Amino acid sequence: AQSVTQLGSHVSVSEGALVLLRCNYSSSVPPYLFWYVQYPNQGLQLLLKYTTGATLVKGINGFEAEFKKSETSFHLTKPSAHMSDAAEYFCAVIRSGGYQKVTFGTGTKLQVIP
Amino acid sequence: GAGVSQSPSNKVTEKGKDVELRCDPISGHTALYWYRQRLGQGLEFLIYFQGNSAPDKSGLPSDRFSAERTGESVSTLTIQRTQQEDSAVYLCASNLDRNTEAFFGQGTRLTVV
């Protein structure tokens, strides 16, 4: 079985500061990893994903994440926070191969302070 | 359709009534998921369908909750004898069987009064 842990249910950063949202996973086989964003009163949309290949993946709105197998992590970063980044962010994992269920973390709410 | 469609978008019901929530996944997506999101909280997994079968229904909170899927397409989540704690946004998602990302609908906001 796989699982996802997001450290910090709420994160606050100042506008222009680095954004770092943490995600650790467990999976017995190589995972596929995803970050989703949910803006207020909206559904979830995909921000970026890692399947195979380059471990540093870039997504929309300047976000990127790095798959670190040795640390079982897939942290989300953005060099400079913008007010419009305020949202809830979900990390998700699915085991590669076959029919597998996607598992989501509990989410991290990002607050951007002007 | 182009995306995951859920209906109704909003539902207000009286305590004790039954409700049905509908999800139309993206055509060809064999996997379908239901989640519950209470106000200010994260995603709570309810049930996962692969085709028309549900290999994982471990998240259904009580026997008042049930779901079915027919024709490897539409899914219905039924809540019987609704309670106020059932008030939440119910999200549906689907993905292909080869581990691509899940696509979400806009959700159904259920309010039990």
Side-chain angles (χ1 to χ4, degrees):
Chain A
Q2 69 263 20
S3 66
V4 176
T5 302
Q6 290 185 242
L7 295 176
S9 58
H10 290 81
V11 170
S12 292
V13 299
S14 297
E15 189 175 16
L18 171 72
V19 176
L20 171 61
L21 304 183
R22 299 178 186 274
C23 172
N24 288 86
Y25 69 91
S26 68
S27 177
S28 57
V29 298
Y32 293 164
L33 295 156
F34 309 88
W35 275 99
Y36 286 81
V37 60
Q38 184 180 32
Y39 296 105
N41 299 313
Q42 295 188 28
L44 278 75
Q45 64 182 88
L46 183 70
L47 201 55
L48 50 79
K49 64 180 179 183
Y50 167 79
T51 53
T52 58
T55 56
L56 180 65
V57 292
K58 296 184 185 297
I60 59 173
N61 301 334
F63 283 93
E64 60 184 37
E66 186 171 10
F67 169 60
K68 291 187 177 180
K69 184 178 178 181
S70 61
E71 298 178 8
T72 61
S73 68
F74 191 58
H75 301 331
L76 182 70
T77 60
K78 181 174 180 179
S80 177
H82 191 273
M83 296 298 295
S84 60
D85 295 328
E88 187 155 21
Y89 294 81
F90 295 90
C91 183
V93 63
I94 192 166
R95 292 169 59 189
S96 56
Y99 298 91
Q100 299 291 346
K101 181 187 77 174
V102 63
T103 300
F104 283 85
T106 52
T108 298
K109 279 204 177 115
L110 177 65
Q111 179 186 22
V112 182
I113 303 166
Chain B
V4 178
S5 178
Q6 291 187 246
S7 60
S9 54
N10 281 283
K11 175 73 175 178
V12 180
T13 190
E14 291 181 354
K15 179 181 173 181
K17 301 279 190 184
D18 298 351
V19 294
E20 283 189 355
L21 312 181
R22 177 186 169 107
C23 173
D24 281 273
I26 292 173
S27 178
H29 281 194
T30 59
L32 185 148
Y33 313 82
W34 282 99
Y35 295 89
R36 180 168 69 179
Q37 188 173 34
R38 289 194 168 114
L39 184 64
Q41 298 188 22
L43 292 176
E44 179 184 3
F45 168 75
L46 297 178
I47 188 169
Y48 157 58
F49 286 94
Q50 186 60 52
N52 292 337
S53 64
D56 188 346
K57 52 178 80 171
S58 62
L60 294 177
S62 74
D63 59 9
R64 296 187 296 105
F65 286 73
S66 63
E68 65 175 15
R69 189 179 184 195
T70 56
E72 294 197 352
S73 181
V74 173
S75 176
T76 303
L77 176 68
T78 301
I79 309 173
Q80 297 177 308
R81 305 181 302 281
T82 52
Q83 304 294 313
Q84 287 187 330
E85 63 262 27
D86 300 334
S87 296
V89 175
Y90 290 82
L91 291 165
C92 176
S94 69
N95 68 346
L96 288 170
D97 60 358
R98 288 305 177 198
N99 308 314
T100 57
E101 64 268 27
F103 292 84
F104 280 81
Q106 292 298 303
T108 293
R109 183 176 298 278
L110 176 66
T111 305
V112 182
V113 297

